[in-house]
Amino acid sequence: MKNIFKNFAIFFLIFVIIAGIFSFYDSRTNDTEEVSIVKLIQEINDEQVKSITVAGNELEILLKDDTEQISKKEVNESLSEVLKNYEVPAAKIAAIDVTVGDEPNSGFFITTILPFLIPILIIIAIIWFMMRQVQGVNTRAMTFGQSGAKLANEQKDKVSFKDVAGAQEAKEDLKEIVEFLKQPQKFIAMGAKIPKGVLLLGAPGTGKTLLARATSGEARVPFFHISGSEFVEMFVGVGASRVRDLFKKAKKASPSIVFIDEIDAVGRQRGAGLGGSHDEREQTLNQILVEMDGFDNKTNIIVIAATNRPDVLDPALLRPGRFDRQVVIDLPDIKDREAILRIHAKGKPFAEDVDLKLVAQRTPGFSGADLANVLNESAIMAAKDNQKNIPSQTVLDAIERVLLGRERKSYILSTKEKEITAYHEAGHALVANQLPHADPVHKVSIISRGRAAGYTINLPKEEKKMQSYSDFIDSMAVLLGGYAAEEIFFNEVTTGASNDLKKVTNMARQIVTQFGMDKKLGPRTFGQKEEMIFLGKEIHERRDYSEKTAEVIDEEISKYITEAQKTAKKIISENKDKMDKLVKTLMDKETIEKTEFEKLVA
């Protein structure tokens, strides 16, 4: 756009100059009267002419009253010959001051040459403009193979480990990388080799990119960041060229950090895909492997890569000598969540009743990005309601908005649908309350949020890193609590239980095929997924079991679901009085909090 405006300004300036020349010429010819030779002879005979200036075939006449006139004679004939031919007396000619000037070129240029020159100039200008555009394309073509890595501004984008809450083990591993970059000789003297690469593994939103930036900020070295997808183009060889250019820049700025986000875009296992695009990805991956092998102990370049899909990465990328370290970043526990909330709470005017520890308890399984989103949503909601600060209830409502979506006030249920929803959610809550390994109920509501007509929030008593067989069995019964309640009180089920059925089926399949918890099939897994990328979809799963075993797997899955259904129906049938209390309260208030729920089912 800048070049277009510049070219437009040049063309406009040329147009103004040409217009000025023509306006000057027109003004001169319009202000001066042009007379014939006959009239000039008459004026000379009447003794009105004071002087005549001869310029080629043009005569500039000045009368005694200071009036200017112009006239033209034949080109090959002098003024004296003209006057002699018209028999003008010599005495009258002698009384006139006759001077001979230079032949005017401007008039000839304007009237004769310029009309032909202007089209030529316009054509030349158009060709020049097109050549400029083509030259720009050629310049971009020459830079097509250069990497688009961005160099972070150390002052503007500086992040330190203090800005990252939680992930203590990950930070400890990365602090060693900072020491390598700051004092490499200290480790080389001991015979230690500087790690070439660090792979950050973790779920989306756990802070992999933030930790990489913090490592750069602590080491105070240049930080080149690029996404894995920026290497791959439809032209074979471009990705490899960009890799070479990236590492060339990093070596010039050594010591430095190269951060490749979403490396699984180019680092997938080789030979597992279809189509020519995968060939380009393979070449790019091969170039990354070669570049990392080319480092020596004196090249202080650390490659940090991030992915949430370590299972699809090529083994050659993960071996020591390429990515020497794999740093796992887990979802934050309750202490880390509270610390993360305190960082994101800076600059937000919270009310005195806001307890970030309670918010941390209400958000198990949330990543750092989810927690930041909760506080941001609470600030938006408070500003929308014209509040001066953010109250506690607004923060708790923001948690539900992030989990389930906005309240759908326009989604009005009929009285019958509202009653079915109340029994459904009360069934979930009651079964969860009665089973020892189920998570406690914190809230039950029949207010529509997102795609759900109602919801029940169960939160664990303590953080869990592993789940037992009993946990799965009770969780499946809780999931089918709504289905069982509809079946008992209405003798039929609705589509409201469809999502519960998907979850319970998936959970039963995991018990049988992944976790080895089924007693009949024993401690082994069934099925091996092999990714073959075709149009972005997984199209292949290798079965390592027979058709007979597949029948047994289906039977066991059905058995677990049937047992969970029986458990849920038994609990609800034995506690119909408590169900009636819960449903009546839900129909009146639409929401039951933890304290009130415990009183109703005590």
Side-chain angles (χ1 to χ4, degrees), residues 539-565:
I539 61 172
H540 180 68
E541 181 177 357
R542 186 162 64 90
R543 292 175 58 172
D544 56 357
Y545 50 90
S546 65
E547 290 295 331
K548 184 177 180 180
T549 305
E551 292 180 6
V552 178
I553 290 173
D554 290 339
E555 290 172 2
E556 291 299 297
I557 291 172
S558 299
K559 183 190 76 174
Y560 282 111
I561 295 173
T562 303
E563 290 297 324
Q565 183 186 9

Side-chain angles (χ1 to χ4, degrees), residues 218-278:
E218 292 286 342
R220 296 181 181 178
V221 297
F223 181 71
F224 296 91
H225 56 100
I226 190 171
S227 173
S229 60
E230 293 183 49
F231 290 115
V232 182
E233 289 283 351
M234 65 180 290
F235 303 107
V236 177
V238 173
S241 174
R242 290 179 177 177
V243 171
R244 288 191 293 270
D245 184 68
L246 170 62
F247 283 95
K248 183 179 178 181
K249 291 178 181 177
K251 288 176 183 177
K252 286 183 179 179
S254 176
S256 60
I257 291 176
V258 175
F259 176 61
I260 305 175
D261 199 8
E262 304 296 342
I263 195 173
D264 52 277
V266 292
R268 289 176 180 268
Q269 293 185 15
R270 290 169 289 185
L274 303 172
S277 62
H278 189 78

